[in-house]
Amino acid sequence: MPRRVPLYKRVKQRLAAALEKGVWRPGEALPPEPALAKRFAVSVGTLRKAVDELVAESLLVRRQGSGTYVDSHTRDTMLARFFPMVDRTGNKRLPQSRLLSFRRGRASAAIAALLHLQRGAPVFEIDNLLSLDDEPLILDRIRLPQALFPDLTEAIFAEREATIYALYQSRYGVTVVRTEESIAAALADERACELLLLTPPAPVLRVVRTAYAWHSQPVDTRVRLIATRRHHYRSVLGQR
């Protein structure tokens, strides 16, 4: 990085590069801060500022009395970072997931643009239904590149032990580091109304979400249709 960039920013970039290369794996503890500072030939204060930013970006997590760890896509992480729905009292819980369909297909022009693929490239096409308390809440229509997950099958996807992003991370070494969403009001189509137990014409939130790994590599893209009769979408911007 250019010399005009603050030293702690350069250390942050070097730390992030080490995380990307797997020097420390998801869930693994980093060395103590004095050892890391020595590794990067900087003061502990400079090192700590770099770590603070990676913690704020949820790439690292501090555990009081234990140390600093590489963030892993546990259920708690997924709930905090990637599931935006809360009930009317503001409570958040992980939903139940039901696989509706899993098939191989070809990327349309729109999907290809979102996933940085050639039009017609092989993709997996997955429809998934998320529910809370047995009430359908979200219909996900997910598309992901076959090249990134070459041995993925319906059984592997359906029988995963944790969340979808955790499957990407644990089986394929693909860590989602950020997502981008576009949100609009829409009317649910007939199939969505049937699955979400809505009476047409029914308004829903339509969310287009694309997940990215390191270097802005698209991991998957999905269209989410969300029923908001008992829940609402909550977005938290900035650091807590």
Side-chain angles (χ1 to χ4, degrees):
M1 297 181 68
R3 286 289 178 183
R4 64 179 178 274
V5 175
L7 179 58
Y8 81 92
K9 290 281 190 182
R10 284 181 264 149
V11 174
K12 173 191 172 184
Q13 289 296 94
R14 293 173 64 191
L15 264 172
L19 295 176
E20 180 188 2
K21 292 176 182 176
V23 174
W24 302 287
R25 304 296 296 171
E28 183 179 348
L30 268 62
E33 288 183 348
L36 274 179
K38 184 176 181 180
R39 177 189 182 108
F40 293 111
V42 296
S43 69
V44 171
T46 297
L47 183 281
R48 188 168 295 144
K49 287 181 70 175
V51 170
D52 284 345
E53 290 210 350
L54 292 173
V55 169
E57 294 170 10
S58 299
L59 296 176
L60 298 175
V61 59
R62 284 197 174 97
R63 298 176 187 168
Q64 190 168 0
S66 178
T68 302
Y69 292 77
V70 182
D71 190 34
S72 59
H73 289 332
T74 63
R75 297 183 72 85
D76 287 345
T77 296
M78 298 306 296
L79 185 65
R81 292 181 61 193
F82 297 118
F83 188 70
M85 303 307 297
V86 297
D87 62 24
R88 290 173 180 172
T89 63
N91 293 320
K92 185 189 290 191
R93 291 175 291 123
L94 275 176
Q96 302 85 43
S97 176
R98 177 162 68 94
L99 178 62
L100 301 174
S101 65
F102 181 102
R103 57 192 176 272
R104 294 174 181 268
R106 298 285 175 176
S108 66
I111 295 300
L114 289 169
L115 293 177
H116 299 177
L117 301 173
Q118 294 293 323
R119 182 175 181 177
V123 294
F124 293 109
E125 300 177 343
I126 301 168
D127 288 357
N128 213 40
L129 186 66
L130 304 179
S131 301
L132 283 171
D133 300 325
D134 297 320
E135 180 179 292
L137 176 64
I138 298 174
L139 174 59
D140 266 343
R141 292 165 174 162
I142 308 168
R143 304 296 181 262
L144 55 152
Q146 290 185 29
L148 204 56
F149 309 99
D151 71 339
L152 184 63
T153 64
E154 182 174 351
I156 290 171
F157 187 88
E159 296 168 11
R160 66 190 184 279
E161 294 183 357
T163 63
I164 296 172
Y165 290 173
L167 173 67
Y168 297 165
Q169 186 181 68
S170 62
R171 187 178 181 93
Y172 301 99
V174 175
T175 296
V176 173
V177 297
R178 67 182 176 90
T179 62
E180 292 184 3
E181 294 185 334
S182 175
I183 306 172
L187 291 177
D189 57 39
E190 184 176 344
R191 175 63 171 159
C193 284
E194 178 184 349
L195 291 167
L196 294 171
L197 304 183
L198 300 172
T199 302
V204 292
L205 285 182
R206 184 181 185 273
V207 180
V208 179
R209 170 192 282 191
T210 303
Y212 296 90
W214 298 99
H215 301 298
S216 296
Q217 178 187 21
V219 173
D220 75 19
T221 191
R222 65 188 68 192
V223 175
R224 318 193 89 168
L225 300 181
I226 305 176
T228 57
R229 59 200 150 207
R230 301 183 195 279
H231 297 80
H232 62 268
Y233 190 105
R234 182 172 68 186
S235 175
V236 178
L237 304 177
Q239 299 181 24
R240 290 180 180 272

